[in-house]
Amino acid sequence: MVKRTPQGSPRAPRRTDSLSREVIVQAATELLDGGGEAALTLRALTVRLHTGYGAIYHHVADKGDVLAAATDDVITRVLAGVVSDADPREALRRLALGLFDAIDAHPWVGAQLSREPWRPALLDFYESVGRLLDALAVPERARFDAAGALVNYVLGVAGQNAANARRHAGSDTGRAAFLDNAAARWAQLDPGEYPFVHAAVTQLREHDDREQFLVGVDIFLAGITVLK
């Protein structure tokens, strides 16, 4: 028999299995992926998990704690996907691409990492980058700047792409249409004043964001070889 509230509306059945922090984080990730940070509320979690506030508060402190835990979980999975005994250059490339893909799949992650760069998972990410830079013989005095340059590049590019995707979601102006419009504007520029931009019209229209991102990582890897 379906239970009803005093007003007569159906009440969702309470869950019968045990609730855990991991289960809460998974549910929170689904809410965040579906509607961004605005969609993550404790009320929404109680509905999705068929439980009460008390059960959730037993495992997490508040919304901020849930958001932070979900972010840590995503980054931890990125780190787990990198083979530790791989060539340092390839491992660094995979690490950067893993974070880029994670933010592409979970746009809210980039904003959270920028707000709280002290999160354990991001610190572990920095440690992984630092160890790989050490393996590539980057001088100790240059490692902090090199690691910061790479992480900031990943967060910046991935965050911008995620923001653009959100901006065009549900609209008639998709990525292809946006690039076609931008390319058409570039094509109208005076090639004498803007020779490079004018010549890059076709590349702008046809470029792949992920491939372009990897080119930037390769430029970074080439650059660190000159650090002495």
Side-chain angles (χ1 to χ4, degrees), residues 82-94:
V82 177
V83 180
S84 58
D85 60 352
D87 171 76
R89 291 176 63 85
E90 183 58 28
L92 203 54
R93 201 171 187 264
R94 290 180 182 177

Side-chain angles (χ1 to χ4, degrees), residues 16-161:
T16 57
D17 58 330
S18 60
L19 190 66
S20 66
R21 186 175 175 88
E22 290 72 22
V23 170
I24 294 172
V25 167
Q26 177 60 39
T29 299
E30 293 169 359
L31 288 170
L32 288 161
D33 288 346
E37 290 187 34
L40 177 61
T41 66
L42 292 181
R43 170 60 181 163
L45 280 174
T46 64
V47 172
R48 180 171 286 264
L49 294 170
H50 306 300
T51 190
Y53 288 99
I56 290 179
Y57 279 124
H58 181 71
H59 297 281
V60 297
D62 50 29
K63 173 181 174 176
D65 186 24
V66 178
L67 179 58
T71 302
D72 283 347
D73 180 64
V74 170
I75 303 307
T76 297
R77 283 186 272 118
V78 171
L79 294 171
V82 177
V83 180
S84 58
D85 60 352
D87 171 76
R89 291 176 63 85
E90 183 58 28
L92 203 54
R93 201 171 187 264
R94 290 180 182 177
L95 197 60
L97 184 59
L99 183 54
F100 176 88
D101 286 342
I103 295 175
D104 182 60
H106 311 284
W108 46 274
V109 167
Q112 177 65 9
L113 291 176
S114 297
R115 282 196 300 265
E116 297 186 354
W118 53 83
R119 294 302 311 165
L122 184 59
L123 296 179
D124 290 340
F125 190 90
Y126 264 109
E127 282 296 325
S128 297
V129 171
R131 285 194 295 271
L132 292 170
L133 291 174
D134 182 27
L136 289 169
V138 174
E140 183 177 0
R141 59 177 176 74
R143 276 179 224 151
F144 173 74
D145 289 335
L150 179 61
V151 174
N152 288 334
Y153 170 68
V154 179
L155 293 179
V157 176
Q160 180 180 353
N161 286 348

